[in-house]
Amino acid sequence: MPVIAILPTPGEMIGCLDRFVRGQARAKRDIAVAVYNHYLSQAQRAREGSDLGHHHILLIGPTGVGKTYIVRKLAEFLGVPIGFASAAGLVEAGYKGNSVETLVKSLLDRAGGDPRKAEKGILFIDEIDKIRRGDTHGGRDVSGEGVQNAL
């Protein structure tokens, strides 16, 4: 997968998604704009050392509406690696389960070990609503607040 040299416009990204995804116009537009702004921010940081901020996006909807599919197709179109994880299985580093570091490592692996390519990739965390600070009755909250801080 080649890392994109010239960034497609949001309109071009939407056009690609339109070939595979029916409906979801707002989701496609919001994702395309967030991705475009993210790459502009990376270019700004590389050129001038300043950052335009974060451009994360939260996709909300019931199972089966195409959230993961849209992200997969966009990553494929952009030629960037994508790392997937379920937030339900994330725990703080040092505990049994997948840590945020494991998620980042999976993205790096999908980028063939190239950190610059991985930096252009997408981290997709499903079921993010499962990460919350829970009542641990005085015990350690290894899958809630610690994961939030790591992210």
Side-chain angles (χ1 to χ4, degrees):
M1 281 186 289
V3 176
I4 54 175
I6 298 175
L7 181 63
T9 65
E12 291 169 328
M13 289 183 236
I14 293 166
C16 168
L17 292 172
D18 282 343
R19 293 192 336 248
F20 301 99
V21 180
R22 295 193 190 272
Q24 302 291 3
R26 181 172 177 195
K28 291 185 282 191
R29 183 195 69 223
D30 289 351
I31 289 170
V33 169
V35 167
Y36 188 79
N37 287 339
H38 173 72
Y39 287 126
L40 286 181
S41 181
Q42 282 186 330
Q44 172 83 8
R45 183 176 52 232
R47 196 174 42 252
E48 299 178 20
S50 61
D51 199 335
L52 299 175
H54 297 286
H55 304 284
H56 303 128
I57 190 160
L58 178 65
L59 301 176
I60 300 171
T63 301
V65 297
K67 300 178 294 288
T68 304
Y69 187 72
I70 288 171
V71 173
R72 277 189 200 274
K73 283 299 180 186
L74 186 57
E76 186 179 296
F77 174 70
L78 296 172
V80 299
I82 185 167
F84 283 96
S86 171
L90 292 176
V91 297
E92 278 186 68
Y95 288 88
K96 187 172 183 171
N98 292 322
S99 66
V100 173
E101 289 81 5
T102 304
L103 175 60
V104 173
K105 185 181 178 324
S106 76
L107 179 63
L108 185 59
D109 290 345
R110 290 179 183 259
D114 181 352
R116 294 184 58 84
K117 189 174 180 182
E119 185 179 62
K120 304 242 185 270
I122 297 171
L123 285 176
F124 185 91
I125 305 171
D126 200 9
E127 299 182 16
I128 197 78
D129 57 314
K130 303 297 189 279
I131 298 176
R132 63 176 182 81
R133 185 176 182 160
D135 182 10
T136 60
H137 304 291
R140 185 94 171 105
D141 180 20
V142 300
S143 62
E145 188 174 12
V147 172
Q148 290 175 29
N149 290 335
L151 289 171

